[in-house]
Amino acid sequence: MDNNTNKKIGGWSLIPMLVFVVIYIVAGVVLNDFYTFPSPVALFISIVVAFIMFKGTINEKFKHFTDGCGDENIQIMLMVYLLAGAFSAVAKAMGGVDATVNFGLTFVPAQFLIAGMFVIAAFLGVATGTSMGTITALVPIACGLVDKAGLNLPLALAAVVGGAMFGDNLSMISDTTIAATRTQGVEMKDKFRVNGFIAAPAALVTVILLVIFGRPDTAVAIENLSFDFIKVVPYILVLGLAVAGLNVFVTLAVGIFSAGAIGIFGGELTVLTFAQSIYDGFRGMEEVFFLSLLVGGLSNMVAKQGGIEWLLAKIRSFIRGPKSAQAGIAALAAAADLSTANNTVAIIVVGSIAKSVSEEFKVDPRKTASILDIVSCIFQGAIPYGAQFLAMGSLAALSGFTVSPLDIIPLLWYQWLLAVSLIVSFFVPFADGIIKKHPWNWEKGKAEK
């Protein structure tokens, strides 16, 4: 752990973040809708509190804030939001959502649709390494299926988010995987093996539950549904290019212009309405755009004041042995993600501390990397103020649906089952096959061959 004496360490610096969380949660509970009170306004209030509380000149504090807003990961996320919103709006305007929904209903029995959405989201997430890209691609389709097949909306959205977080957690190209393995000095393939044994039982039970409880509320005569396959092509392109590993910006741009071209040639769009649809998509992502930008700034301000390090140090003081060390590492990752609302940032923040805990209490670093990735993905896919939930809400709204996080969180079966599987692995080493076969050599800092 960094004991830099020049950095002030104090839990008081977490107060602005707590102000935001309290305002957001209280407003959501009182209004019975987490999207009525603008979350960027709640965050703006907390930023004002930070500027008043924190030490330093106004210019120093503003620099810390803008450095956080300008972080490369934040900027990339913002652009993905805009392009995803544009693709969703254009595809919907040209009839792509209805065509895709009818296409899916024609070939997939309605009772398996929600379970199928989980599996598709999991596959896409693993292939692309992005939970955000998976959610933005599948939520509009899920909303369309809900409307046509009489499915449970909160359960369908929970299935998509759960599958997306499964993929984010296990993908070899995910930012979380890269951060977790690099901070612990382990190979991605080794972390994948340990991680996979912990996640597989949770995913399997989730699919079974979704098959049992995901049956439609109303019967649908799916044999009478018609669709124009050409309108499904943009979705196939986006999913196919994403799986192939093409840059997310290029992928979404191809989706936007292919959907626009099909709409224009089919008569559903003109050049003007195509442009208007793109802008409508941009506007549909306003809230999540502003919130992500402001969270980046506030998180950096809190970090500069030592708030996150103080919180992590407090949690670390409760560790007594290997089992509690694993629980402590999990708590560190959870606290960081709850504070930053960004799973990659959370792993980076706690990475060095987790490594020191791992070395001190002899927790295999491959297990530590898995814990960091699993826990950050569990919480990132469950907090209502996280990017995944906000993007899901914005895209659902573009499809004409309003749903409260309170309706979805209890149905995030994959995340909760994954948490149970992880906790069991602390005491029953069922996922430690690669660890037992190739023990970690602490002197050399690598696994024995």
Side-chain angles (χ1 to χ4, degrees), residues 293-336:
L293 185 68
L294 296 177
V295 162
L298 179 59
S299 295
N300 195 52
M301 291 181 73
V302 171
K304 291 295 183 181
Q305 295 293 322
I308 294 176
E309 287 191 26
W310 176 88
L311 179 62
L312 301 181
K314 289 294 182 181
I315 294 174
R316 187 179 182 279
S317 67
F318 292 98
I319 299 172
R320 294 293 180 270
K323 294 177 182 178
S324 62
Q326 293 180 65
I329 291 168
L332 295 176

Side-chain angles (χ1 to χ4, degrees), residues 366-381:
R366 291 164 290 188
K367 184 67 175 292
T368 300
S370 297
I371 293 171
L372 290 175
D373 204 342
I374 289 171
V375 172
S376 66
C377 284
I378 288 173
F379 282 91
Q380 188 62 30

Side-chain angles (χ1 to χ4, degrees), residues 113-373:
L113 283 173
I114 291 184
M117 281 187 276
F118 174 84
V119 173
I120 293 170
F123 173 76
L124 183 62
V126 169
T128 64
T130 168
S131 58
M132 282 298 300
T134 299
I135 288 170
T136 53
L138 294 181
V139 164
I141 296 175
C143 289
L145 291 172
V146 164
D147 190 42
K148 291 286 186 180
L151 302 177
N152 182 310
L153 176 63
L155 185 59
L157 295 179
V160 170
V161 174
M165 300 318 297
F166 172 93
D168 194 335
N169 175 212
L170 284 173
S171 175
M172 299 288 281
I173 59 174
S174 167
D175 288 347
T176 59
T177 294
I178 294 170
T181 53
R182 284 186 176 180
T183 58
Q184 304 311 306
V186 301
E187 296 290 334
M188 289 187 185
K189 61 180 181 180
D190 291 341
K191 177 263 184 189
F192 178 85
R193 292 174 183 175
V194 178
N195 199 156
F197 277 106
I198 298 172
L204 179 60
V205 175
T206 298
V207 170
I208 294 173
L209 291 174
L210 291 174
V211 169
I212 296 173
F213 296 103
R215 298 178 182 274
D217 297 326
T218 57
V220 178
I222 57 177
E223 67 274 11
N224 296 324
L225 295 174
S226 61
F227 61 90
D228 188 350
F229 183 75
I230 190 65
K231 294 182 179 179
V232 183
V233 170
Y235 289 112
I236 296 176
L237 274 175
V238 168
L239 294 177
L241 293 174
V243 169
L246 191 65
N247 179 278
V248 63
F249 300 120
V250 177
T251 295
L252 289 171
V254 169
I256 292 169
F257 287 102
S258 64
I262 291 170
I264 291 172
F265 285 110
E268 290 85 5
L269 295 173
T270 65
V271 173
L272 180 59
T273 55
F274 171 47
Q276 290 173 337
S277 295
I278 292 176
Y279 186 60
D280 287 341
F282 288 170
R283 293 183 61 187
M285 304 303 284
E286 283 177 350
E287 182 172 8
V288 67
F289 183 97
F290 290 132
L291 186 63
S292 297
L293 185 68
L294 296 177
V295 162
L298 179 59
S299 295
N300 195 52
M301 291 181 73
V302 171
K304 291 295 183 181
Q305 295 293 322
I308 294 176
E309 287 191 26
W310 176 88
L311 179 62
L312 301 181
K314 289 294 182 181
I315 294 174
R316 187 179 182 279
S317 67
F318 292 98
I319 299 172
R320 294 293 180 270
K323 294 177 182 178
S324 62
Q326 293 180 65
I329 291 168
L332 295 176
D337 192 78
L338 289 170
S339 299
T340 64
N342 186 305
N343 47 350
T344 304
V345 172
I347 292 173
I348 293 172
V349 168
V350 305
S352 60
I353 299 175
K355 186 174 183 180
S356 67
V357 171
S358 176
E359 292 172 348
E360 181 178 349
F361 296 97
K362 295 298 182 285
V363 177
D364 193 288
R366 291 164 290 188
K367 184 67 175 292
T368 300
S370 297
I371 293 171
L372 290 175
D373 204 342

